[in-house]
Amino acid sequence: MGDLWRGWRDVLTRLGFATAALDAKLLTGHALGLDMLALATRENEPMDAGSAARVAELIQRRMSGESVARIIGEREFYGLAFALNAATLEPRPDTELLVDLALDALPQRGRILDLGTGTGCIPIALLANRTDATGLAVDIDPQALAIARQNADRHDIGGRLDFALGDWFAPIPDYETFDLVVSNPPYIPSAVIDTLAPEVKAFDPLRALDGGPDGLGPYRVIAADAGRFLKTGGLVLLEIGFDQGAEVSALLDAHGFADVAVHKDLAGLDRVISAHHMSN
């Protein structure tokens, strides 16, 4: 068994995969239904042809550029495991900054609106850490909402998170208001999509990547309409591209938001923008 994953490790290394050993271990373990401890303790066990073929099939998918998380079908975010499907982005560590800021800002018994929820990773991480809070998750894709519901149930917060199918604010009743509006919207300019890494452009859903010609289309919608659904003093928190801080700040400022601030990630890049809504 050990010889098998090490052999695939060497193949992936020659092909230039930076995490070849980890990829080979994870995919071998997944194919065989073993965690990393079991894989290590059964290192010297022989491998039958059927098991070796299952491993080879997964490794071939990795060689095509598909990420390990997509092959396995889940990815960790904020210490929680999230199932994926073809309609969702993989939760990525960059977005954890948004969750940190939201947890700091969320009042007692606060209510959250997450736009373009995907896997539901943002509101689920928030509600898992704040048992007094509730939320509404919106997505335009029914397959994304289905996996978000599954993830909410998996982490025992389904009773506190509602779901709505539709485009941005369209499915939300006019009378509903929230303490926080959060989103990791599509923000990549359309012309840039083809330049992205193969595992992104070939396997992530285009709808969740493409922010329009300048990448700012979703921010225009959110800046224009978020105020109608925020309580006075409520906060909007949006993930942004590394070069979008000034432009998204200007959009929020133009729509009357106050205290607009850009927050940098651990790499020192613009990552999240925050702004307060001061009047209804």
Side-chain angles (χ1 to χ4, degrees):
M1 196 173 291
D3 289 343
L4 180 71
W5 78 256
R6 280 191 290 272
W8 284 120
R9 173 202 62 193
D10 295 344
V11 171
L12 292 174
T13 298
R14 288 195 296 271
L15 292 173
F17 285 85
T19 55
L22 180 60
D23 293 357
K25 279 186 178 181
L26 288 171
L27 293 175
T28 300
H30 183 68
L32 303 178
L34 302 175
D35 62 21
M36 292 299 97
L37 177 60
L39 190 66
T41 58
R42 298 173 63 176
E43 172 90 3
N44 296 320
E45 289 186 15
M47 180 73 61
D48 63 81
S51 297
R54 290 198 301 274
V55 174
E57 180 182 356
L58 299 190
I59 296 289
Q60 290 292 331
R61 289 172 62 182
R62 182 69 184 115
M63 290 164 61
S64 77
E66 190 173 0
S67 71
V68 171
R70 285 219 177 273
I71 296 168
I72 291 174
E74 69 175 36
R75 180 159 177 169
E76 183 178 313
F77 176 82
Y78 221 79
L80 303 170
F82 287 88
L84 312 171
N85 66 16
T88 64
L89 290 177
E90 294 179 39
R92 290 182 168 90
D94 293 339
T95 306
E96 294 189 353
L97 174 60
L98 190 155
V99 176
D100 289 338
L101 294 167
L103 286 172
D104 288 342
L106 187 63
Q108 286 295 311
R109 295 180 296 280
R111 186 155 172 80
I112 305 151
L113 170 62
D114 180 35
L115 299 166
T117 197
T119 61
C121 65
I122 294 173
I124 291 169
L126 289 171
L127 298 189
N129 284 276
R130 285 289 300 272
T131 58
D132 59 302
T134 61
L136 173 64
V138 176
D139 205 286
I140 197 172
D141 194 306
Q143 292 184 17
L145 277 187
I147 208 74
R149 288 179 187 274
Q150 178 182 322
N151 285 322
D153 291 341
R154 178 179 188 175
H155 297 299
D156 296 323
I157 58 90
R160 293 185 287 122
L161 184 60
D162 301 319
F163 299 89
L165 177 67
D167 192 17
W168 301 115
F169 298 94
I172 305 171
D174 288 339
Y175 59 79
E176 274 218 73
T177 56
F178 301 85
D179 298 283
L180 287 181
V181 171
V182 297
S183 184
N184 177 18
Y187 56 72
I188 299 172
S190 303
V192 176
I193 301 292
D194 280 344
T195 71
L196 299 176
E199 69 182 50
V200 176
K201 68 180 180 182
F203 297 99
D204 280 348
L206 180 62
R207 177 184 276 170
L209 297 172
D210 193 340
D214 61 359
L216 300 176
Y219 299 108
R220 293 189 179 93
V221 175
I222 295 170
D225 291 338
R228 294 194 294 119
F229 298 94
L230 276 167
K231 298 175 183 177
T232 299
L235 191 71
V236 61
L237 281 165
L238 307 173
E239 184 164 335
I240 58 174
F242 72 94
D243 57 353
Q244 294 176 320
E247 293 168 307
V248 179
S249 293
L251 286 172
L252 291 167
D253 185 67
H255 286 280
F257 284 86
D259 308 319
V260 180
V262 176
H263 307 267
K264 296 185 181 295
D265 61 21
L266 293 176
L269 302 174
D270 292 356
R271 182 57 57 191
V272 175
I273 195 160
S274 63
H276 284 97
H277 173 64
M278 300 312 298
S279 62
N280 283 317

